[in-house]
Amino acid sequence: MNGRQIILDHINGREAAALMVDGQLDDLLIESDAPRAGTIYRAIADRPVKGQGGMFVKTPDGSAFLRQVKGLAPGDRILVQVTGMAEPGKAIPVTQKVLFKSRYAIVTPGAPGLNVSRSIRDDDARDALLAIAHAEAGEADVGLILRSACEGAPEDEIAEDVRAMLDLCEAVMADVEGDVEMLSEGDGPHVAAWRDWSEPADVVTEAGSFETHGVLDALEAAQDDEVALGSGAYMYVEPTRALVAVDVNTGRDTSPAAGTKANFAMAKLLPRALRVRGLGGQIVLDLAPMAKKDRRGFEATLRAALKRDVIDTTLVGFTPLGHYELQRKNARTPLTELLK
C-alpha cells in the first residue's frame, strides 16, 4: 500500500482519525474524556501558586492551571484556552494567549500582523495570499496567519475560512462577563484531521474502515513497547510514572557501526512512535554504544525528524552518563489508556 490515507472511523465508541503513510500508521487522533485542546473558557481566577508564577483558575470542567500570570487577582474574569492534556490528578493546562485555528487560517488576538506561512515560497502565491489577508482582515485589530494548506487551495475557500475564524474570534473575545462557561469547544479528531493533515491524501469515511485498512492491526502493534529499526535492531518505548524511557538495542548486529546505525534509525522513527502512542513529558533515550564524534550527526537527524512533527518537543541534550533527554508537550492521552 502506497501514498497517504486519512481514515475516519470510531473505536470503542470514540471518534478517531488515522493517518496512514505508505501502509504505516503515521499519526492518530482519538477522542478522550479530557477537555479538547483548543477549547476556550470564560474562567475565574482562583488562587495563585507561589514560587511557580502561576494561578489556578475555575472552569466549567474543573480546575485549570495558568502559567506566567501578571496583574491577575483572584475573582477576575479571563478568557483561557486549553493547550494540552490534563494528566491524571492534575489541573487542565491553559493559556491566556487565545488563538482561533482552522485549515487555512490562524487568527491571533493581541498579536496583530498579516503573515503567510514560510513554507510557501512562491512569490506570486505569497502576494495573492497577502491580498486575501488584507481584503478580509486588513481593518481588523487582530493578527492573521495563512497556513501552508493555502498553497494551491481555491481563493474563495481561503477567504471563507478567514471570515469564519474572524467572526468566531469577535464573538468569543467579546463574551467576557458572566460566570464560568465554555465559549468554544476544541475540534474533535475528524475536524482536527481535516484541519492539520492538509497534504494530499485519500479520505476514507466508511464505518469499519479501521479494520479494512489495517488501522486496528497497527494499533495493536503500537501497544507493544518494541519497535523494529531494521537490520535486526529495535527500540523499546516504555512509559513510566516519571518519564518515557527509550532503550536502543542493536540485536544480533555486532559490527563496529551497529550502535551508530541503530541510534540514527531510532532518531528518524522516534517522533512517529511517540505520536501514535500519545506519549509526552520527559523522554530519556538510552542509546546504543556510539562514538562521541557521531553525536552531532545524531542530534541533527533527530532535530530534522522532530521538525516535521506536530507536537512541540525540545532537545535538551546528552547527560554525563551518555543518555539523551528531550522534553515533549503532553498533548494527547496515552493510547493504552484510551484502549482499556
Side-chain angles (χ1 to χ4, degrees):
M1 185 184 300
N2 295 315
R4 292 169 59 89
Q5 289 182 309
I6 295 173
I7 303 171
L8 308 179
D9 202 354
H10 290 76
I11 183 168
N12 294 345
R14 298 178 183 272
E15 184 177 294
L19 175 62
M20 301 290 285
V21 178
D22 296 332
Q24 297 287 324
L25 180 59
D26 192 74
D27 204 351
L28 177 70
L29 302 172
I30 303 179
E31 187 77 88
S32 74
D33 297 327
R36 293 173 176 176
T39 294
I40 301 173
Y41 299 117
R42 184 195 306 118
I44 297 178
D46 189 11
R47 55 188 176 87
V49 182
K50 295 181 179 180
Q52 294 187 29
M55 176 173 283
F56 286 106
V57 300
K58 298 177 182 177
T59 80
D61 288 325
S63 181
F65 185 68
L66 179 64
R67 296 183 182 277
Q68 299 177 340
V69 176
K70 288 185 179 180
L72 192 62
D76 288 349
R77 266 67 173 170
I78 53 172
L79 297 185
V80 296
Q81 187 168 41
V82 178
T83 59
M85 179 199 69
E87 297 180 55
K90 294 188 177 181
I92 305 166
V94 295
T95 180
Q96 284 185 278
K97 295 180 180 179
V98 174
L99 57 83
F100 299 83
K101 183 178 181 181
S102 189
R103 182 178 178 90
Y104 299 121
I106 301 175
V107 173
T108 57
L114 305 178
N115 299 282
V116 176
S117 169
R118 294 178 184 176
S119 66
I120 301 176
R121 298 182 180 180
D122 180 84
D123 289 339
D124 291 339
R126 294 184 65 85
D127 289 343
L129 291 172
L130 282 172
I132 296 173
H134 281 282
E136 300 298 335
E139 301 300 321
D141 58 354
V142 297
L144 174 67
I145 302 169
L146 293 181
R147 306 181 68 197
S148 58
C150 291
E151 190 165 24
E155 292 188 1
D156 58 339
E157 289 187 15
I158 298 171
E160 182 180 355
D161 202 33
V162 170
R163 287 194 295 272
M165 289 299 99
L166 288 171
D167 289 345
L168 179 61
C169 173
E170 183 178 4
V172 169
M173 299 305 292
D175 199 2
V176 180
E177 298 301 323
D179 201 356
V180 295
E181 183 181 349
M182 178 192 294
L183 301 180
S184 177
E185 187 173 20
D187 293 328
H190 290 181
V191 174
W194 168 82
R195 184 191 71 198
D196 293 332
W197 300 343
S198 57
E199 293 182 35
D202 294 329
V203 180
V204 182
T205 60
E206 292 83 3
S209 54
F210 270 17
E211 181 175 3
T212 57
H213 288 73
V215 177
L216 293 185
D217 292 338
L219 288 178
E220 185 176 352
Q223 294 178 73
D224 192 346
D225 295 335
E226 185 176 323
V227 180
L229 299 176
S231 301
Y234 53 88
M235 64 175 167
Y236 283 104
V237 182
E238 300 177 283
T240 72
R241 184 179 295 274
L243 50 83
V244 176
V246 180
D247 178 39
V248 183
N249 195 302
T250 60
R252 296 182 179 180
D253 189 348
T254 58
S255 65
T260 300
K261 289 192 296 184
N263 291 336
F264 275 62
M266 180 275 296
K268 294 176 182 178
L269 295 180
L270 181 64
R272 184 175 71 191
L274 296 174
R275 272 198 309 274
V276 300
R277 289 168 172 78
L279 298 177
Q282 298 178 59
I283 316 291
V284 178
L285 311 181
D286 184 10
L287 302 174
M290 177 176 66
K292 285 189 176 181
K293 65 181 178 63
D294 294 322
R295 286 185 172 184
R296 182 175 296 180
F298 167 79
E299 281 191 290
T301 300
L302 183 58
R303 184 175 291 107
L306 288 167
K307 188 176 181 180
R308 298 187 295 271
D309 196 18
V310 295
I311 299 174
D312 293 338
T313 305
T314 301
L315 280 68
V316 179
F318 283 96
T319 73
L321 290 176
H323 298 146
Y324 195 87
E325 295 182 333
L326 307 96
Q327 183 69 39
R328 185 175 177 86
K329 183 178 180 180
N330 274 309
R332 300 176 180 177
T333 302
L335 178 64
T336 53
E337 292 185 20
L338 294 173
L339 299 183
K340 284 180 180 177

